[in-house]
């Protein structure tokens, strides 16, 4: 698990060095609100990890793509407690392995899609070929 976190951290450093990667202000505000809703660093880290893990999962299972700047900012906010981030990550992937992918994709669209309730525009379905 430590290797996973170190890999993700290395990705964060590589992406954050790229000046073309920018998070939308409304997305940053949404993530700040989600973090502020958590009372302690451990809780914040676990919460950010859950959102991060969900965004990666939907990329693999829902024929969509998540926003790299949103993922990077979630990693930054979740870095307060690395153990809590890793635990939140693993709990989320365990939960996702037990869910119906179609239902989770619908939920992801509601939470993170272009009009998402949690982080608007953090994830979008890929357009069908020929469009």
């Amino acid at each position: 698990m430590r290797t996973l976190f170190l890999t993700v951290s290395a990705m964060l450093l590589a992406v954050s060095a790229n000046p073309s990667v920018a998070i939308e202000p409304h997305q940053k505000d949404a993530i700040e609100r989600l973090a502020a809703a958590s009372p302690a660093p451990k809780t914040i880290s676990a919460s950010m990890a859950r959102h991060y893990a969900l965004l990666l999962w939907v990329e693999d299972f829902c024929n969509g793509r998540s926003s790299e700047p949103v993922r990077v900012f979630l990693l930054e906010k979740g870095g307060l407690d690395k153990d809590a981030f890793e635990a939140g990550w693993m709990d989320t992937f365990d939960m996702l392995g037990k869910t119906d992918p179609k239902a989770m994709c619908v939920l992801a669209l509601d939470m993170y899609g272009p009009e998402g309730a949690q982080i608007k525009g953090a994830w979008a379905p890929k357009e069908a070929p020929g469009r």
Side-chain angles (χ1 to χ4, degrees), residues 22-36 48 67 69-74 76-77 118-122:
I23 190 167
E24 296 288 327
H26 67 88
Q27 293 170 327
K28 186 175 181 179
D29 291 346
I31 293 168
E32 293 285 1
R33 282 192 302 277
L34 290 169
M48 298 298 104
S67 166
V70 167
R71 291 192 323 263
V72 168
F73 195 63
L74 287 167
E76 289 172 1
K77 295 301 284 184
Q118 292 279 316
I119 307 170
K120 189 178 191 178

Side-chain angles (χ1 to χ4, degrees), residues 24-88:
E24 296 288 327
H26 67 88
Q27 293 170 327
K28 186 175 181 179
D29 291 346
I31 293 168
E32 293 285 1
R33 282 192 302 277
L34 290 169
S38 300
K42 274 188 176 194
T43 312
I44 293 168
S45 293
S47 174
M48 298 298 104
R50 287 184 195 101
H51 292 288
Y52 186 90
L54 256 165
L55 286 171
L56 286 181
W57 186 89
V58 296
E59 273 200 9
D60 291 338
F61 292 91
C62 303
N63 192 32
R65 64 189 174 287
S66 60
S67 166
E68 188 174 343
V70 167
R71 291 192 323 263
V72 168
F73 195 63
L74 287 167
L75 279 171
E76 289 172 1
K77 295 301 284 184
L80 298 170
D81 186 312
K82 290 173 181 35
D83 291 335
F85 187 93
E86 189 172 319

